[in-house]
Amino acid sequence: MTPRIPTLIFATALAVSVTCAATAETCPPAPDHTEGLDLLIAEVKQADTELEARRIANKMWEFWADAPNEQAQEILKRGMTKRAAWDLLGALEDFDALVGYCPNYAEGYNQRAFVNFLREDFATALVDLDRALELSPNHIAAMSGRALSLLALDRIDEARTTLDDALQLNPWLPERHLAAPGGVLNIPGQEL
């Protein structure tokens, strides 16, 4: 007697979930770059030019993109390459795999959120951005992405607050124009 199809599907799903759970346990903790990021945040606040601020922000990206191990680094790199080539579904698959493998690595969620933002799935992006910020509270890029996602969802007050939080850490963010006089996230009553 052959097994029924629903039984096979259930058995396959169970095997996949057990494998994913076992794999997630093998991902080491993400490197702790808190001290280095704090120093860069202090430095970017003192930057005199946008070019200098951009150089500092690039150093922040080096920390955020430092995956827990070589396997995670390769998945991250592959997903970012696909995203850059606008293979958004392929990138999404890679970032799903990265989040499944390293569920405590903030950048996996941030990158998946970016892909969903590009796909204009702002609500899904927001869920991942919230998780990224839960794992890495000073992840300025995730804050900025969260503000943009909230703006796209027409949640203006929340977007304004989130962008303000990000600008407190990096006043040179490219999105700062949104909060400037005349910008869509400028505080009412502070227009030109």
Side-chain angles (χ1 to χ4, degrees), residues 4-177:
R4 294 179 29 212
I5 297 296
T7 305
L8 284 173
I9 292 171
F10 175 75
T12 302
L14 181 60
V16 168
S17 69
V18 167
T19 301
C20 287
T23 303
E25 291 175 17
T26 63
C27 180
D32 183 3
H33 294 297
T34 305
E35 188 176 315
L37 281 168
D38 288 346
L39 291 172
L40 290 174
I41 288 169
E43 194 177 330
V44 80
K45 287 179 182 180
Q46 301 302 315
D48 292 322
T49 66
E50 186 168 358
L51 184 60
E52 181 184 354
R54 193 174 307 139
R55 180 189 54 77
I56 297 164
N58 287 340
K59 289 181 184 179
M60 291 180 192
W61 274 110
E62 290 176 20
F63 285 139
W64 293 323
D66 185 15
N69 65 10
E70 192 175 314
Q71 180 180 346
Q73 195 72 55
E74 181 55 37
I75 298 169
L76 177 67
K77 180 182 172 187
R78 189 174 61 229
M80 292 173 76
T81 299
K82 288 178 184 176
R83 187 199 64 231
W86 282 91
D87 176 6
L88 299 183
L89 293 178
L92 197 56
E93 287 177 12
D94 286 333
F95 296 134
D96 284 344
L98 180 56
V99 166
Y101 174 57
C102 296
N104 294 314
Y105 176 47
E107 194 57 31
Y109 294 95
N110 185 55
Q111 290 297 322
R112 187 167 70 178
F114 187 27
V115 170
N116 281 313
F117 182 87
L118 293 172
R119 295 176 66 229
E120 298 184 9
D121 186 352
F122 306 115
T124 300
L126 195 56
V127 171
D128 277 342
L129 291 164
D130 287 342
R131 179 65 178 143
L133 288 166
E134 183 180 310
L135 294 167
S136 181
N138 284 343
H139 195 309
I140 300 167
M143 284 182 199
S144 176
R146 186 174 192 278
L148 293 173
S149 296
L150 288 164
L151 178 60
L153 292 168
D154 204 30
R155 293 166 57 180
I156 304 301
D157 290 337
E158 291 173 89
R160 184 179 293 122
T161 299
T162 302
L163 184 57
D164 184 57
D165 291 344
L167 290 170
Q168 293 298 315
L169 299 175
N170 180 357
W172 292 95
L173 281 175
E175 295 81 7
R176 70 187 182 276
H177 70 278

